């Protein structure tokens, strides 16, 4: 009889628990539906430059359902912020587009760091080559280093600083090429890293020119 009462109490407790859980789910659905009604945006889930430019984090969270799509959208939004020169932002955007979000963020974070070193070389006694080598040495020798962890605030603050865009791309490309030429005969991690970064900037330069040509062709149509 005692066991029967215990089983009955457990059964009733489970029913009560299920009822509470069901009510909580209904409440959350009501809250979401309420937010859906109140939230208004002209943005969509399109990964075009025009749609992602000026999109807010709130809109990204609202529009994109799975976490990977959200991260890709955030990467692309960061790409649109890289420069006041829209051509460079589009070139960065087009390069990041299609990359997995972790690779896209790694690519962007290294470019932010290069921009930081670019400005630092103009305001200090250190050459750009020395600063790039210092960054490369840290990445190669620090096993715990992950570019996907966090972009330092100091670098984020410089994203919107105006630069001569093509000069920036050309300077970084030449600097990494020079560093590669210095280490290529040693066939070590430095040579591979510098060559990889050099090729990335060559790709960005070509993408930048493509964007310029598209704009020029558009103007010629009028």
């Amino acid at each position: 009889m005692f066991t029967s009462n215990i089983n009955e109490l457990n059964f009733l407790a489970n029913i009560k628990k299920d009822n509470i859980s069901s009510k909580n789910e209904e409440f959350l659905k009501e809250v979401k539906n309420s937010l859906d009604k109140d939230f208004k945006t002209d943005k969509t889930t399109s990964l075009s430059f025009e749609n992602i430019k000026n999109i807010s984090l709130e809109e990204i969270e609202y529009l994109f359902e799975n976490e990977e799509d959200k991260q890709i959208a955030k990467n692309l939004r960061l790409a649109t912020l890289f420069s006041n020169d829209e051509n460079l932002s589009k070139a960065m955007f087009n390069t990041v587009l299609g990359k997995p979000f972790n690779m896209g963020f790694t690519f962007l974070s290294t470019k932010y760091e290069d921009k930081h070193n670019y400005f630092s070389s103009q305001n200090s006694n250190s050459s750009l080559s020395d600063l790039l080598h210092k960054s490369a040495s840290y990445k190669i020798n620090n096993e715990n280093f992950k570019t996907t962890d966090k972009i330092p605030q100091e670098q984020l603050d410089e994203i919107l600083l105006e630069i001569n865009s093509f000069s920036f791309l050309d300077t970084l490309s030449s600097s990494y090429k020079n560093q590669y030429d210095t280490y290529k005969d040693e066939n070590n991690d430095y040579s591979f890293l510098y060559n990889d970064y050099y090729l990335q900037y060559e790709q960005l330069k070509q993408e930048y020119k493509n964007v310029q040509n598209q704009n020029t062709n558009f103007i010629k149509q009028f």
Side-chain angles (χ1 to χ4, degrees), residues 176-198:
Y176 277 124
K177 179 66 166 60
N178 291 337
Q179 293 294 91
Y180 168 70
D181 288 340
T182 300
Y183 290 92
K184 65 181 180 181
D185 293 333
E186 299 179 23
N187 199 32
N188 58 22
D189 289 338
Y190 290 117
S191 63
F192 288 114
L193 184 67
Y194 290 136
N195 188 52
D196 184 39
Y197 287 168
Y198 160 69

Side-chain angles (χ1 to χ4, degrees), residues 21-217:
S21 177
S22 177
K23 288 181 179 179
N24 285 341
E25 289 181 5
E26 290 177 4
F27 173 74
L28 291 174
K29 286 181 180 178
E30 289 179 5
V31 171
K32 185 179 184 304
N33 290 335
S34 176
L35 289 174
D36 288 345
K37 291 177 182 178
D38 295 337
F39 196 95
K40 295 180 180 178
T41 177
D42 58 353
K43 298 293 185 179
T44 69
T45 56
S46 168
L47 295 180
S48 66
F49 181 85
E50 290 71 20
N51 185 64
I52 296 299
K53 183 182 178 182
N54 298 325
I55 197 172
S56 67
L57 288 175
E58 290 78 11
E59 287 171 319
I60 290 175
E61 292 293 335
Y62 173 78
L63 291 168
F64 294 88
E65 293 185 0
N66 66 65
E67 194 59 33
E68 184 169 344
D69 289 342
K70 289 179 182 180
Q71 293 299 328
I72 291 173
K74 289 175 184 178
N75 285 348
L76 293 173
R77 180 68 176 100
L78 282 173
T80 68
L81 291 170
F82 191 82
S83 172
N84 286 331
D85 181 346
E86 191 166 282
N87 289 340
L88 178 54
S89 290
K90 281 186 176 180
M92 194 71 68
F93 181 96
N94 292 339
T95 304
V96 174
L97 185 63
K99 291 180 181 290
F101 73 88
N102 56 335
M103 292 179 64
F105 191 84
T106 299
F107 176 86
L108 286 168
S109 63
T110 58
K111 299 303 165 283
Y112 297 148
E113 185 176 9
D114 285 343
K115 190 172 180 180
H116 170 67
N117 287 326
Y118 178 81
F119 282 117
S120 296
S121 67
Q122 296 177 341
N123 299 307
S124 70
N125 294 326
S126 299
S127 68
L128 179 58
S129 294
D130 289 340
L131 292 173
L132 294 178
H133 186 66
K134 182 179 179 181
S135 295
S137 298
Y138 180 78
K139 293 171 187 173
I140 291 172
N141 297 319
N142 189 338
E143 295 180 357
N144 297 320
F145 176 78
K146 293 181 180 178
T147 54
T148 55
D149 284 346
K150 187 178 180 181
I151 299 176
Q153 185 62 45
E154 186 178 11
Q155 293 174 27
L156 286 173
D157 290 340
E158 290 175 340
I159 293 175
L160 294 177
L161 291 180
E162 189 172 354
I163 57 175
N164 184 322
S165 296
F166 197 80
S167 176
F168 166 76
L169 295 177
D170 200 43
T171 298
L172 266 297
S173 175
S174 298
S175 297
Y176 277 124
K177 179 66 166 60
N178 291 337
Q179 293 294 91
Y180 168 70
D181 288 340
T182 300
Y183 290 92
K184 65 181 180 181
D185 293 333
E186 299 179 23
N187 199 32
N188 58 22
D189 289 338
Y190 290 117
S191 63
F192 288 114
L193 184 67
Y194 290 136
N195 188 52
D196 184 39
Y197 287 168
Y198 160 69
L199 293 176
Q200 287 181 11
Y201 276 102
E202 285 298 294
Q203 180 186 4
L204 276 171
K205 283 168 62 177
Q206 186 58 53
E207 192 61 48
Y208 185 90
K209 291 177 181 177
N210 291 342
V211 173
Q212 280 188 320
N213 290 336
Q214 288 171 5
N215 293 340
T216 301
N217 291 336

